Amino acid sequence: MPARVTTLKELAAQLDLSITTVSRALAGHQQIALKTRERVTEAARQAGYVPNTAARTLVSGRSGFVGMVLPIRGPNLVDSFLGEFVTGLGEGLVSHGTDLILAAVAQGQSELSVLRHVVESGRADGVVVTRIAEVDERLAYLRQRNFPFVAHGRLLDIDFAYNWLDTDGAHAFGEAFDMLYDLGHRHFGLVTIAEPMTFRHLRQDGLAAAIARRGDPSVRLDVAMAPRFDRGARIQAINRLLHGAERPTAIVALFDELALSVMEEAARAGLTIPRDLSVIGFDNIAASAYAPPGLTTFDASIRQCAREIGEMLLTVIGDRSAAPLTRLIRPTLVSRASHGPAPTG
Amino acid sequence: MPARVTTLKELAAQLDLSITTVSRALAGHQQIALKTRERVTEAARQAGYVPNTAARTLVSGRSGFVGMVLPIRGPNLVDSFLGEFVTGLGEGLVSHGTDLILAAVAQGQSELSVLRHVVESGRADGVVVTRIAEVDERLAYLRQRNFPFVAHGRLLDIDFAYNWLDTDGAHAFGEAFDMLYDLGHRHFGLVTIAEPMTFRHLRQDGLAAAIARRGDPSVRLDVAMAPRFDRGARIQAINRLLHGAERPTAIVALFDELALSVMEEAARAGLTIPRDLSVIGFDNIAASAYAPPGLTTFDASIRQCAREIGEMLLTVIGDRSAAPLTRLIRPTLVSRASHGPAPTG
DNA sequence: TGTCGGATTGCAAACGTTTTAAATCTCAAA
DNA sequence: TTTGAGATTTAAAACGTTTGCAATCCGACA
């Protein structure tokens, strides 16, 4: 069995003081004589005393934890930025000594039920919710429960105010269109996913808005929709786009994984990028830098976003009555070699 | 403030039973009449009752958490498989309803002090330790503290028994050598790192052992050592290898990031892979599939390893007196296009 | 009717901390 | 010497759960 944990009671006995005094001394209360405070602090340091989290949580009602439900993934797919996200979140939380709780979802269980469990058991003082769906029962629950949370992403119909941070995909896709238009492209392809996630709409709408802004009737947009996690179907959708009656000269993909697939299929079809086809992605995952000829994309700086989300959540936990915090991050263009002038003729 | 949390007391009052009975009924104790058990279970379900973690932990001495210290990284580098690792760990833990605690290390703080805090505060029932160093103070502490843990990786001088899971890098590097030797290669390069991590030695020793086994005095091995996180110095070390008096025909890298750098620098030097140079990596990170011409490497199946680590840790926590668990996973060769016959002449 | 035994339920302590309210101490002023 | 104000310390309750032990209930048997 593990060596005995030092407790307040033991420390108090050793110092011939009451538990109360020791507790207060360690908390730095002014009412305790300075000499006593120092004596206690030193003894605690020597004994390697660390207050018991459970006891503290029980009495204070604060756990010092922030929760997050691990995204569910198929056997061979991992959230490509989970690592970055978690790292950033840790950075954002560490200043307050807050730790992160990751709760996995068991087979056949719902993400909501896990979230509920985290909340109701008092494990966490607040939670982070990622991958927001168009209609998101998690947000509905948290709101009704009035539990502190920050969402990474937005709802579509914002019928209530809440704390969120999002990357401005609409802006990025508008920027992508403008850049490609200026390079002479008129026939565009968009590869998107079938899942009801908000970011899909925001990005597509951003693209559509930019097209509308330009007001050029010769601009054409073909949309290919692929299930997110079915690789075969994804390839099929992409090839329909590539081998249609008329091929777009520029393809914008909802995120890098799709863009990389587009580049692979284009290569397989004998197309040279960017001479025959321009491709632009979103996220800037590691592989995008390596995939020839280097994918032009937008950096979503997940780590930085997650760090801010952590900080926001700490704020929300600290002051539950504060006005909702919202933050829209503008992703930066990472210009590599997968885009160029529209092919002539 | 959040809606009131349902508590045992409230549930008991509502059912006109004692707290004890309700607690026992929910725990499924046989001594409670079946009818009562059913009545209580139903009421708890209706009320959405979830037992308070802190209270339960306090009395039982078990937190239901497993801890891990977030690896420290520079501003732009993230542990490339943290996401996979965390996902796997979650999968391994979820069956027992155990959650994962991730504790970040603040600037200027030591990883050991954070680990200590996690342990001493009773936050976790066990911990996972990754990236084992040649002499690892974390393992020394955990052992002396007799606290349940599983290490991902081994110590060099195993002077005490403990629970570990490791990928058999030695075997993989031997396999790589054999394969390359059979392809005619005689002059080898190894790109390794300067940090005192065990896996460095194990892999290098595996390579050396394979060379010795072959007993061919014409085999030559040049070793380039680069600091792990200094990209500039890394490139420099690689180029020394590429532009020495005599260039190796095959380069084995300690892990994929290094191998990808080798391929980049080789391309920059006008070399064609694998015609002029064979390159083999280790880990099979996502980018390795995309980097031209596709990196031959070994799949370390981090997710699967992490899952097993989670399961091992649960076992260790359940039975502290059990014999140490050890597990050596043999990585599988992922044969892509970066290796081939040695150039003739 | 009284008693016994098994089935069922409840009381109270304990886990380690924080905090309210009260007790004690110290020392200068009266 | 007494008084009292301020400084310092403490006792005890509380947080929500689990659990050892004791109490109660019920029907059967004598």
Side-chain angles (χ1 to χ4, degrees):
Chain A
M1 72 216 75
R4 223 185 55 247
V5 178
T6 309
T7 140
L8 262 194
K9 185 155 49 164
E10 289 168 6
L11 219 48
Q14 178 191 323
L15 288 161
D16 200 28
L17 285 170
S18 73
I19 295 180
T20 308
T21 303
V22 176
S23 172
R24 291 224 170 89
L26 289 175
H29 287 203
Q30 294 297 324
Q31 63 185 132
I32 304 295
L34 180 59
K35 213 188 307 183
T36 309
R37 290 213 298 273
E38 286 169 344
R39 200 162 64 95
V40 171
T41 310
E42 174 57 19
R45 202 190 55 71
Q46 286 232 347
Y49 170 75
V50 179
N52 180 285
T53 303
R56 178 175 269 187
T57 300
L58 192 55
V59 64
S60 73
R62 282 279 173 87
S63 70
F65 285 117
V66 150
M68 175 170 156
V69 177
L70 269 178
I72 319 173
R73 280 302 139 95
N76 292 317
L77 282 158
V78 166
D79 193 316
S80 46
F81 23 70
L82 180 59
E84 274 192 80
F85 194 88
V86 162
T87 300
L89 214 46
E91 289 170 351
L93 297 174
V94 78
S95 62
H96 286 233
T98 300
D99 285 347
L100 181 63
I101 288 183
L102 255 37
V105 181
Q107 199 76 15
Q109 221 179 0
S110 80
E111 190 169 332
L112 178 63
S113 75
V114 176
L115 182 66
R116 202 177 213 120
H117 195 260
V118 168
V119 169
E120 305 296 341
S121 68
R123 282 164 148 71
D125 303 329
V127 293
V128 174
V129 185
T130 62
R131 306 183 306 137
I132 306 303
E134 293 171 13
V135 177
D136 205 298
E137 52 181 11
R138 299 168 303 169
L139 296 200
Y141 160 69
L142 290 167
R143 179 207 180 196
Q144 163 258 312
R145 189 66 178 64
N146 192 15
F147 193 81
F149 73 94
V150 174
H152 184 214
R154 280 168 288 173
L155 288 174
L156 268 196
D157 307 307
I158 312 184
D159 59 341
F160 65 93
Y162 61 99
N163 311 289
W164 56 261
L165 178 149
D166 202 2
T167 40
D168 195 349
H171 184 272
F173 274 54
E175 192 178 334
F177 169 78
D178 287 340
M179 185 173 74
L180 291 167
Y181 185 92
D182 291 340
L183 284 167
H185 295 273
R186 294 298 178 269
H187 187 180
F188 294 80
L190 170 69
V191 181
T192 182
I193 55 168
E195 278 76 21
M197 312 288 285
T198 4
F199 74 87
R200 173 185 83 175
H201 293 279
L202 293 168
R203 294 178 196 177
Q204 181 160 359
D205 291 354
L207 184 60
I211 294 176
R213 247 194 330 269
R214 190 68 68 157
D216 179 345
S218 73
V219 169
R220 177 174 156 196
L221 175 67
D222 295 345
V223 177
M225 192 169 285
R228 189 169 198 188
F229 298 124
D230 180 340
R231 195 173 152 73
R234 175 192 293 191
I235 299 299
Q236 233 176 355
I238 287 171
N239 278 320
R240 268 196 302 276
L241 203 57
L242 289 177
H243 301 116
E246 211 176 331
R247 193 179 60 237
T249 62
I251 293 185
V252 183
L254 205 62
F255 45 83
D256 281 1
E257 273 102 344
L258 293 177
L260 293 179
S261 291
V262 170
M263 294 216 295
E264 282 185 314
E265 292 310 307
R268 195 188 312 277
L271 301 177
T272 300
I273 292 175
R275 196 194 60 195
D276 306 322
L277 179 72
S278 286
V279 178
I280 293 190
F282 189 95
D283 278 345
N284 192 27
I285 64 175
S288 299
Y290 291 103
L295 177 65
T296 294
T297 183
F298 290 88
D299 194 300
S301 48
I302 297 293
R303 184 169 171 182
Q304 177 61 29
C305 287
R307 180 202 294 238
E308 278 198 47
I309 287 175
E311 290 165 352
M312 285 168 72
L313 188 49
L314 290 178
T315 305
V316 173
I317 291 172
D319 178 10
R320 289 150 158 286
S321 58
L325 303 174
T326 63
R327 187 112 163 68
L328 194 57
I329 306 279
R330 184 159 294 180
T332 57
L333 178 71
V334 178
S335 191
R336 295 205 184 92
S338 68
H339 73 289
T344 51
Chain B
M1 72 214 77
R4 224 185 55 250
V5 178
T6 308
T7 139
L8 262 194
K9 183 152 57 162
E10 290 169 4
L11 218 47
Q14 178 192 322
L15 287 161
D16 201 25
L17 285 170
S18 73
I19 294 180
T20 307
T21 303
V22 176
S23 171
R24 291 219 172 93
L26 289 175
H29 287 204
Q30 294 297 324
Q31 63 185 134
I32 303 296
L34 180 60
K35 212 187 310 184
T36 310
R37 290 214 298 273
E38 285 170 344
R39 199 163 65 96
V40 171
T41 309
E42 174 58 18
R45 203 191 53 70
Q46 286 232 348
Y49 170 75
V50 179
N52 181 284
T53 303
R56 177 174 272 186
T57 300
L58 194 55
V59 64
S60 73
R62 282 279 173 87
S63 70
F65 285 116
V66 150
M68 174 172 158
V69 177
L70 270 178
I72 319 173
R73 279 303 138 95
N76 292 316
L77 283 158
V78 166
D79 193 316
S80 46
F81 23 70
L82 180 59
E84 272 192 84
F85 194 87
V86 161
T87 300
L89 215 44
E91 290 170 349
L93 297 174
V94 77
S95 62
H96 286 231
T98 300
D99 284 347
L100 181 62
I101 288 183
L102 256 37
V105 181
Q107 199 76 16
Q109 222 180 0
S110 80
E111 189 168 333
L112 179 62
S113 76
V114 175
L115 182 65
R116 200 177 216 120
H117 195 259
V118 168
V119 169
E120 305 296 340
S121 68
R123 281 164 149 70
D125 302 329
V127 293
V128 174
V129 184
T130 62
R131 305 183 305 136
I132 306 302
E134 294 171 11
V135 177
D136 205 298
E137 53 180 10
R138 300 168 302 171
L139 296 201
Y141 160 69
L142 290 167
R143 178 210 182 194
Q144 163 259 314
R145 187 66 177 67
N146 193 14
F147 193 81
F149 73 95
V150 175
H152 183 213
R154 279 168 288 172
L155 289 176
L156 268 196
D157 306 308
I158 311 184
D159 59 340
F160 66 94
Y162 62 98
N163 312 289
W164 56 261
L165 178 149
D166 202 2
T167 41
D168 195 348
H171 184 273
F173 274 53
E175 192 178 337
F177 169 79
D178 286 340
M179 183 174 75
L180 290 167
Y181 184 93
D182 290 341
L183 284 166
H185 295 272
R186 293 299 178 267
H187 187 180
F188 294 81
L190 170 68
V191 181
T192 182
I193 54 168
E195 279 76 20
M197 311 288 287
T198 4
F199 74 87
R200 173 185 84 174
H201 294 278
L202 293 168
R203 293 179 197 176
Q204 182 161 356
D205 292 353
L207 184 59
I211 293 175
R213 246 193 330 268
R214 189 68 67 157
D216 180 344
S218 72
V219 168
R220 176 173 158 197
L221 175 66
D222 296 344
V223 177
M225 193 170 284
R228 190 169 197 189
F229 298 124
D230 180 339
R231 197 176 151 72
R234 175 191 292 189
I235 299 299
Q236 233 175 356
I238 288 171
N239 277 320
R240 268 197 301 276
L241 202 59
L242 288 178
H243 301 116
E246 210 176 333
R247 193 180 58 237
T249 61
I251 293 185
V252 182
L254 205 62
F255 45 83
D256 282 1
E257 274 102 344
L258 293 177
L260 294 179
S261 292
V262 169
M263 295 214 295
E264 282 184 314
E265 293 310 306
R268 196 189 312 278
L271 301 175
T272 300
I273 293 174
R275 197 195 60 196
D276 305 321
L277 179 72
S278 285
V279 179
I280 293 189
F282 189 96
D283 277 345
N284 193 26
I285 64 175
S288 299
Y290 290 103
L295 177 66
T296 294
T297 183
F298 291 87
D299 194 298
S301 48
I302 297 293
R303 183 170 172 179
Q304 177 60 30
C305 287
R307 180 202 296 237
E308 278 198 46
I309 288 176
E311 290 165 352
M312 284 168 73
L313 189 48
L314 290 178
T315 306
V316 174
I317 290 172
D319 179 9
R320 287 150 159 285
S321 57
L325 304 174
T326 62
R327 188 113 164 66
L328 192 57
I329 307 280
R330 184 159 294 183
T332 57
L333 178 71
V334 179
S335 191
R336 294 207 184 91
S338 67
H339 73 290
T344 51

